[in-house]
């Protein structure tokens, strides 16, 4: 991708972040923002900027970056443009973890951890099921194993919710619809490290994914250990997705859509696609969070709902283009 | 139902001696004369679903599927008649000995029927319509009530009083509760009303709203719910809106209070910084039962320390 | 350069051997062709060479070194494989695609150097695909795509190129062009190992032919020796004759028509 397009991506992200911090129930000016960041002036805007808006906007950006990159890498590795980061049963597994934690009334801080653990268990199960079916290297077998594990997870969730009290159900549903409303600096820091390492690893895999995307036989002929590289991409992608899920619940469509958009804009090699998808995904989720906050005051829309609402028309347009 | 059965028996013996017939009629008269019950033999009541039901004799085996109505029944002395309760009923303590029939919403009809009730009381929401239907089809009198407001409490208590034939006990209960409520309301009328935020759940952030009896309690106890204008009982609100409305006090449980004091987001609130978080006993949050008076006093004391209620 | 010695391969779950004691040599500067009916093991041979399928017994050596001793990437720097089908999922440019041929040398980390750029340039030159450089691989015609694939294989910079049915979907003009290209590559010193159905063309271009049936080598040697009527008839199970083509003088296979319900041949 040409240099100017990268600049555009970074610029878009910057604008999105600034807008995200400035706009909300209380309108802040640019001056407020600056004061808030450096810590001078009225305590109220500083508190709003530092404790409420910045953490959630940054968390949203990290979630979007992680999902965009993971989606791009998985689409390349599976040679399937409909692949997305929640593929390997991740959404189901994370939801099971979080729902069980909510329904059992565990301390609130444990819910994200439970979600993460649930996601990892689901991925491990998916890969086990795929291997038992004889095709861990075959993308279709892994995809189907993911569907199976996801379906199983859904049934567990239904059982858990059937026996839970009303507030637990509401809490569980809210988590599953995705939100960065409770973002804290600790979360931002942890996710930042996670996402940095994850995206770095995926970009490093970039050239290998390009070769992998040529086809398993051709890739093998070019010296790629197809099974190992594919597994590596799955695991890193899954970890990234699991990390975002534990921070913000289920935020759909980002990992599916952003790689398409980035490829349409001209990114061809996977190093470029993954990097651009990370930036574009970050901007998208920051904007979605902004919409979630201002669309229906005084309530907040779930983040996952907004990304889906944005995603569907985009996707329809894409389908028409492809057809 | 009792009547109908007796008539059939009489008609089958029509051909027998008049003497037996006379004895039968006499027993009936004596029985009714001996009855302590001053209640009419048949009660026609309209419940909150709009259904009218006729209840023959005063119900002896009541299944109550709302914790509020459970407490009311015990308060008016109908405790011994309760044969079924929900899994969430924990007060009064005597109710724990009663059979647990599971969830109160979308209840397990078979479990209820296994207690052989003659009256089932459940919450009047659309999800319970089906259960109410099926219970009635099984021949059990079923009444659905909304127990969201203090006025509901008075109404329901009086209905129960009629049903068990002890309207006096019902009136006593209602009067005592409402009298206490009025007294507290008058006392707090002259006191300053702090702005209060009462979160019911953190994730999503749910507040006590105008549609909840807790909002009524707050008004009685002399406080102003900052989200009172929202009509739902537990509306979702954003943190920024909360920050904007800047409550003086926050009401919550002990564990939550400890957590809020340490959370950087909550610490942006003036009330948290000054530790103006009052710990509320969660049992008063169940619903407007006979203890509403005591709850009002409790809350008033919490909100206005130093004032005698 | 590539030597198969008594290679035995069996697919999982199959009772039959896919390759049964197959031995062959593909030497530099020559075109070696593997022919045979469907299911004779031709593609299995290529897969065994790539390492996609393990050997039951026997060995495959590249330039004297056994395949077991080297990593996939090392092998990929010596042998380039052009598989039967390759459907590009993403629209790379031809230049980017051919440059991927340098992957075995670069891995994920190293940046391309002059050596790599020269190899790519040479590949373009040999396959005469420079005009396509900026086009997307998804927009190429069948013939152009095959040449570009060959360019990628040449860019790998090895001494051997293995092709599995490279002309299946090409018309006669493009087919000839590919064979001429292979001939040119052999002239440059490459060992070209070719799997093909096209007996007649193979007979004209290859210097060594191996005829497989049911995983066994039925005949091997110069085209004239392998293109014998009785051998081919037995292997392909169809009446045919082998003549000498009057135009070019190469052995030519002519399948015969069979009258229905009669074993007699016209």
């Amino acid at each position: 991708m040409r240099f100017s397009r990268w600049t555009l991506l970074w610029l878009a992200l910057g604008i999105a972040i600034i807008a995200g911090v400035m706009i909300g129930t209380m309108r802040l000016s640019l001056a407020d923002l600056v004061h808030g960041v450096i810590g001078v002036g009225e305590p109220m805007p500083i508190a709003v900027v530092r404790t409420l808006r910045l953490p959630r906007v940054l968390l949203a950006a990290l979630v979007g970056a992680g999902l965009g990159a993971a989606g791009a890498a998985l689409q390349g590795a599976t040679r399937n443009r409909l692949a997305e980061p929640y593929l390997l049963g991740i959404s189901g597994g994370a939801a099971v973890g979080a729902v069980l934690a909510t329904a059992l009334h565990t301390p609130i801080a444990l819910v994200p951890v439970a979600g993460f653990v649930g996601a990892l268990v689901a991925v491990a199960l998916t890969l086990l099921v795929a291997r038992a079916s004889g095709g861990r290297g075959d993308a279709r077998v892994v995809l189907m194993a993911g569907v199976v594990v996801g379906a199983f997870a859904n049934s567990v969730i239904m059982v858990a919710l059937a026996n839970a009290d009303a507030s637990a159900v509401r809490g569980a549903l809210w988590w599953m619809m995705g939100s960065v409303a409770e973002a804290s600096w600790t979360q931002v820091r942890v996710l930042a490290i996670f996402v940095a390492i994850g995206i770095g690893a995926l970009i490093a895999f970039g050239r290998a994914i390009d070769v992998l995307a040529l086809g398993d036989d051709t890739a093998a002929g070019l010296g790629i250990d197809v099974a190992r590289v594919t597994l590596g991409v799955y695991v890193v992608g899954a970890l990234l997705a699991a990390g975002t899920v534990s921070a913000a619940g289920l935020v759909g469509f980002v990992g599916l859509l952003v790689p398409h958009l980035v490829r349409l804009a001209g990114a061809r090699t996977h190093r470029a696609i993954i990097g651009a998808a990370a930036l574009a995904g970050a901007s998208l989720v920051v904007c979605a969070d902004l919409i979630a906050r201002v669309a229906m005051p005084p309530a907040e829309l779930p983040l996952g709902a907004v990304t889906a609402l944005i995603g569907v028309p985009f996707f329809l347009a894409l389908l028409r283009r492809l057809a | 139902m009792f009547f109908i059965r007796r008539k059939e028996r009489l008609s089958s013996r029509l051909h027998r001696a008049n003497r037996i017939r006379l004895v039968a009629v006499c027993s009936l008269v004596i029985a009714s004369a001996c009855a302590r019950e001053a209640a009419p033999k048949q009660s026609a009541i309209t419940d909150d679903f709009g259904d009218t039901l006729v209840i023959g004799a005063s119900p002896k085996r009541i299944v109550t599927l709302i914790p509020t109505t459970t407490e009311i029944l015990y308060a008016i002395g109908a405790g011994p008649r309760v044969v079924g309760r929900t899994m969430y009923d924990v007060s009064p303590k005597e109710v724990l000995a009663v059979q647990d029939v599971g969830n109160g919403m979308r209840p397990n009809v078979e479990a209820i029927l296994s207690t052989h009730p003659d009256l089932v009381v459940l919450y009047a929401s659309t999800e319970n319509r089906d259960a109410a239907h099926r219970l009635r089809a099984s021949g059990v009198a079923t009444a659905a009530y909304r127990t969201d407001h203090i006025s509901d409490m008075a109404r329901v208590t009086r209905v129960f009083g009629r049903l068990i034939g002890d309207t006096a006990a019902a009136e006593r209960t209602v009067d005592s509760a409402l009298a206490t409520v009025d007294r507290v309301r008058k006392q707090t009328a002259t006191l300053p009303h702090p702005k209060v935020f009462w979160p019911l759940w953190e994730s999503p952030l749910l507040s006590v709203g105008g549609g909840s009896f807790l909002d009524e309690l707050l008004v009685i106890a002399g406080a102003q719910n900052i989200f009172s204008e929202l009509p739902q009982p537990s509306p979702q609100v954003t943190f920024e809106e909360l920050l904007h409305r800047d409550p003086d006090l926050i009401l919550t449980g002990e564990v939550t209070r400890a957590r809020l004091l340490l959370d950087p987001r909550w610490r942006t609130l003036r009330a948290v910084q000054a530790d103006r978080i009052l710990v509320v006993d969660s049992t008063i949050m169940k619903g407007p039962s006979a203890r509403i008076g005591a709850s009002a006093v409790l809350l008033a004391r919490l909100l206005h320390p130093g004032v005698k209620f | 350069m590539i030597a198969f010695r008594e290679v035995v391969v069996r697919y999982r779950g199959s009772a039959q051997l896919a390759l049964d004691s197959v031995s062959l040599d593909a030497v530099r500067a020559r075109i070696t062709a593997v022919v045979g009916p469907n299911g004779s093991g031709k593609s299995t041979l290529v897969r065994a060479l790539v390492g996609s399928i393990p050997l039951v017994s026997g060995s495959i050596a590249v330039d004297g070194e056994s395949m077991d001793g080297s990593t996939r990437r090392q092998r990929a720097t010596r042998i380039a494989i052009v598989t039967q089908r390759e459907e590009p999922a993403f629209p790379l440019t031809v230049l980017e695609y051919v440059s991927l041929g340098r992957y075995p040398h670069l891995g994920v980390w190293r940046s391309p150097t002059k050596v790599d750029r020269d190899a790519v340039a040479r590949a373009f030159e040999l396959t005469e695909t420079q005009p396509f450089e900026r086009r997307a691989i998804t927009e190429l015609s069948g013939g152009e795509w095959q040449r570009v694939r060959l360019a990628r294989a040449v860019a790998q910079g090895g001494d051997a190129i293995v092709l599995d049915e490279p002309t299946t979907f090409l018309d006669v003009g493009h087919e000839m062009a590919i064979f001429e290209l292979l001939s040119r590559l052999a002239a440059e010193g490459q060992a070209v190992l070719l799997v093909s159905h096209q007996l007649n063309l193979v007979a004209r271009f290859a210097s060594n032919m191996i005829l497989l049936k049911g995983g066994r080598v039925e005949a091997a040697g110069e085209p004239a020796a392998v293109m014998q009527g009785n051998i081919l008839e037995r292997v392909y199970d169809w009446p045919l004759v082998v003549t000498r083509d009057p135009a070019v003088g190469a052995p030519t296979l002519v399948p015969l028509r069979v009258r229905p319900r009669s074993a007699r041949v016209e």
Side-chain angles (χ1 to χ4, degrees), chain B residues 166-185:
Chain B
D166 196 351
T167 48
E171 285 303 327
R172 274 199 306 276
T173 311
V174 169
D175 287 342
S176 129
L178 291 184
T180 315
V181 161
D182 278 332
R183 178 169 56 79
V184 171
R185 195 201 305 268

Side-chain angles (χ1 to χ4, degrees), chain B residues 9-45:
Chain B
R9 232 175 276 156
L10 284 170
S11 68
S12 72
R13 290 181 183 176
L14 212 55
H15 302 300
R16 301 272 179 102
N18 281 344
R19 212 183 344 148
I20 301 171
R21 201 164 151 201
L22 191 60
V23 169
V25 171
C26 283
S27 335
L28 211 145
V29 171
I30 294 168
S32 59
C34 292
R36 288 176 174 273
E37 316 267 291
K41 291 288 188 294
Q42 286 185 324
S43 303
I45 56 173

Side-chain angles (χ1 to χ4, degrees), chain A residues 141-298:
Chain A
V141 174
V142 176
L143 289 176
M144 285 199 281
V147 169
V148 166
V149 169
F152 175 66
N154 279 336
S155 57
V156 172
I157 293 170
M158 286 196 267
V159 168
L161 288 181
N163 293 322
D165 59 75
S167 40
V169 171
R170 202 163 162 184
L173 280 175
W174 175 252
W175 184 90
M176 287 197 280
M177 297 191 284
S179 164
V180 285
E182 286 133 50
S184 68
W185 281 109
T186 318
Q187 273 185 314
V188 171
R189 271 182 237 127
V190 170
L191 193 62
I193 298 175
F194 220 76
V195 166
I197 296 178
I199 295 183
L202 287 181
I203 293 185
F205 267 118
R207 214 182 265 162
I209 297 177
D210 285 330
V211 177
L212 208 59
L214 299 177
D216 285 356
D217 289 329
T218 311
L222 276 165
I224 296 248
D225 185 340
V226 171
R228 251 219 329 223
V229 173
T230 316
L231 187 63
V233 173
Y234 286 163
V235 169
V236 176
L239 281 174
L240 255 183
T244 67
V245 168
S246 89
L250 300 176
V251 181
F253 267 98
V254 177
L256 176 59
L257 204 56
V258 170
H260 282 265
L261 296 174
V262 154
R263 272 188 245 113
L264 268 177
R268 283 187 307 272
T269 64
H270 274 87
R271 269 193 194 174
I273 296 175
I274 293 171
L279 287 174
S283 304
L284 179 62
V285 177
V286 168
C287 291
D289 179 56
L290 180 55
I291 295 174
R293 273 184 283 136
V294 300
M296 262 176 46

Side-chain angles (χ1 to χ4, degrees), chain A residues 24-26 44 47-48 51-53 102 105 108 162-165 167-168 170-171 174 181-184 293 298-300, chain B residues 87-88 103 201-206 227 229-230 234-241 243-246 259 264-266 268:
Chain A
T25 314
M26 286 181 267
M44 177 73 104
V48 170
T51 318
L52 295 184
R53 299 248 178 106
T102 313
H105 293 282
I108 271 191
N163 293 322
D165 59 75
S167 40
R170 202 163 162 184
W174 175 252
E182 286 133 50
S184 68
R293 273 184 283 136
E300 225 179 77
Chain B
M87 54 205 267
Y88 300 113
N103 212 327
W201 197 259
E202 270 176 74
S203 181
L205 188 58
L206 303 178
F227 286 111
E229 92 275 7
L230 299 175
S234 52
Q236 191 212 335
V237 296
T238 63
F239 202 90
E240 279 197 24
E241 191 60 42
L243 182 60
H244 184 64
R245 298 192 186 201
D246 190 33
R259 194 179 49 247
R265 269 192 328 138
W266 286 85
T268 59

Side-chain angles (χ1 to χ4, degrees), chain B residues 52-169:
Chain B
T52 309
L53 44 147
V54 177
I55 298 178
S58 83
K60 299 256 188 328
R61 298 181 65 81
I62 308 179
V63 169
T64 144
L65 295 175
I66 318 171
T68 310
T69 53
T70 309
E71 287 193 5
I72 292 174
L73 285 169
Y74 274 88
I76 63 174
R81 302 176 191 236
V82 175
V83 297
R85 59 162 174 106
T86 73
M87 54 205 267
Y88 300 113
D89 277 297
V90 290
S91 66
K93 287 201 190 54
E94 297 91 321
V95 84
L96 291 171
V98 173
Q99 182 167 350
D100 167 5
V101 294
N103 212 327
M105 304 296 273
R106 288 187 189 272
N108 183 338
V109 172
E110 280 187 30
I112 298 169
L113 290 176
S114 75
T115 62
H116 306 290
D118 49 23
L119 173 64
V120 174
V121 178
L122 42 64
Y123 187 72
S125 79
T126 36
E127 18 182 350
N128 286 338
R129 272 197 188 272
D130 178 64
H133 220 44
R134 291 200 286 144
L135 283 167
R136 288 211 187 97
S138 315
V140 179
T142 310
Y145 287 107
R146 251 179 282 283
T147 52
D148 302 329
H149 298 284
I150 297 178
S151 54
D152 292 324
M153 172 250 163
R155 185 166 56 88
V156 168
T157 309
R158 289 186 176 120
V159 168
F160 285 162
R162 257 180 66 206
L163 284 177
I164 66 166
D166 196 351
T167 48

